[in-house]
Amino acid sequence: EEVMAQAVRTLIAAIEAHDPSTQGKAVRVAGLASAISTALNLDTRDNRAAQFSALLARIGTLTLSDADRMGTETDLAAREAQGAERLLSTVAGMATVIPGVKHHAERFDGDGYPDNLSGESIPLSARIVACAGRLDDLLTGRGGHSGGDLTVKQALEKLKDDSGTMLDPAIVSAAESAQSKGILFRPPELIKGL
């Protein structure tokens, strides 16, 4: 597991070097994903899959050429997802992580990408990462979302607005539960030191 953690640290450093605006985001989102997973009573294996998926959600950006960056947002996201899958499939131990990374931009209503999956056909780890990423965006004002001056309560209310369309209602409820239990911002065991 230490070898995998070192590989993940290296990949996060590469992502952040490639796009400095993402500095710290992967670790923040992984912490939120862990708290949501805990609130869902997921076992350690599934919790770790969600955390690693969050840590590596943007790995596909490293595979894109300038030409790949042309086209619509959907085209770009699909290329990024395909690149992430290609890259991670070459790394031992990443089989449980690939679905969460590849599908974290799917929407619960089926209007996402890369495969327009909907509802529970979206891998659980991807639904968790989507919610955790959206919450982080709301709290930091990153990713083109308004925010940064929102309280946690206000950000959770905005998540409820996205429930059933962008996000899985059960995952949004788990985020609220994690907050009420005081674990939403607790550092998870897996990623200490990342």
Side-chain angles (χ1 to χ4, degrees):
E1 187 164 291
E2 180 53 35
V3 172
M4 181 183 260
Q6 180 57 45
V8 169
R9 281 192 289 273
T10 300
L11 291 170
I12 292 169
I15 294 165
E16 291 177 348
H18 181 72
D19 182 359
S21 73
T22 63
Q23 191 78 32
K25 181 175 178 65
V27 172
R28 287 191 311 272
V29 175
L32 294 169
S34 178
I36 292 167
S37 296
T38 299
L40 288 167
N41 295 316
L42 298 186
D43 61 27
T44 301
R45 180 180 166 276
D46 290 339
N47 190 312
R48 287 182 178 165
Q51 288 181 61
F52 277 122
S53 295
L55 288 167
L56 297 172
R58 299 302 314 275
I59 193 71
T61 61
L62 299 178
T63 67
L64 300 176
S65 68
D66 288 341
D68 287 334
R69 295 177 192 282
M70 305 304 284
T72 67
E73 179 184 343
T74 302
D75 293 339
L76 180 62
R79 288 185 199 112
E80 185 179 326
Q82 292 162 350
E85 182 177 31
R86 228 179 15 259
L87 184 63
L88 291 176
S89 68
T90 67
V91 181
M94 291 291 174
T96 60
V97 176
I98 291 170
V101 173
K102 180 180 179 183
H103 296 290
H104 77 275
E106 301 284 2
R107 289 174 50 108
F108 197 72
D109 62 8
D111 198 26
Y113 38 81
D115 297 325
N116 298 104
L117 300 179
S118 64
E120 292 187 7
S121 66
I122 303 168
L124 178 60
S125 58
R127 288 180 275 144
I128 292 168
V129 173
C131 184
R134 174 72 171 138
L135 180 57
D136 182 71
D137 288 344
L138 289 167
L139 291 170
T140 62
R142 300 174 74 85
H145 302 287
S146 61
D149 57 351
L150 297 178
T151 66
V152 174
K153 182 178 179 179
Q154 290 168 324
L156 288 169
E157 285 299 316
K158 286 196 174 281
L159 284 186
K160 284 198 255 185
D161 293 343
D162 296 330
S163 182
T165 53
M166 180 187 291
L167 303 172
D168 179 341
I171 306 301
V172 172
S173 291
E176 292 177 301
S177 175
Q179 173 62 13
S180 70
K181 292 177 182 177
I183 63 171
L184 191 59
F185 296 101
R186 183 188 71 202
E189 289 299 314
L190 177 66
I191 60 169
K192 285 183 180 172
L194 283 178

